[in-house]
Every structure is written in C-alpha cells, then in structure tokens.
C-alpha cells in the first residue's frame, strides 16, 4: 500500500507530465487536480482547435489558510 505522501508525489509527477504534453482538458486531469488540492492556475494557448502551449503557475504548495488571504 502506498503512503499518502508518496501517492501525492506520484500524482504531482503525473500532473506535470500531463501539462507538458498538453493533456489538460481531460476529465482525468480534473480528477488529478482535485486529488492534489491544486490551487494554482493552468493556462492554454489554443489555435485552430489544437493546443499549442500549456503551463501552470504553482499554487500547489500553498496552505489552505493562505488561499483566502490573497
């Protein structure tokens, strides 16, 4: 059985892989973001129905008390 900390670590690695490969519009990505409690921003550049670029701004490491303080 995987510990919660190592599961979150592997989820974050999968999240970064999906962002790099522009797989951010899938329902699997939504579930992954939910499980990570991700509070950052995802950005996409789409032209003619194709994702040209994707990225994210880290919000993952914020504590829940800091989110409301922004």
């Amino acid at each position: 059985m995987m510990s919660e900390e190592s599961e979150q670590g592997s989820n974050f690695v999968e999240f970064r892989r999906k962002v790099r490969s522009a797989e951010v519009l899938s329902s699997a990505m939504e579930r992954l973001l939910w499980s990570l409690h991700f509070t950052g921003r995802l950005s996409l550049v789409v032209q003619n129905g194709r994702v040209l670029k994707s990225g994210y701004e880290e919000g993952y490491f914020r504590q829940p008390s800091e989110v409301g303080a922004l």
Side-chain angles (χ1 to χ4, degrees), residues 1-67:
M1 188 189 312
M2 197 183 276
S3 73
E4 185 176 327
E5 185 176 306
S6 91
E7 183 177 337
Q8 279 195 334
S10 64
N11 281 347
F12 192 68
V13 169
E14 178 67 6
F15 161 71
R16 292 184 66 189
R17 185 196 67 75
K18 285 183 176 285
V19 169
R20 281 194 309 267
S21 64
E23 294 178 29
V24 294
L25 298 177
S26 68
S27 61
M29 181 64 160
E30 182 180 0
R31 287 190 301 275
L32 185 57
L33 291 170
W34 184 262
S35 73
L36 288 169
H37 306 288
F38 184 78
T39 59
R41 293 181 180 192
L42 293 174
S43 60
L44 296 172
V45 176
V46 179
Q47 184 176 20
N48 297 327
R50 297 184 67 120
V51 177
L52 299 179
K53 182 178 178 182
S54 64
Y56 67 98
E57 295 175 24
E58 301 238 3
Y60 177 76
F61 296 105
R62 286 189 206 146
Q63 297 297 319
S65 61
E66 294 176 347
V67 173

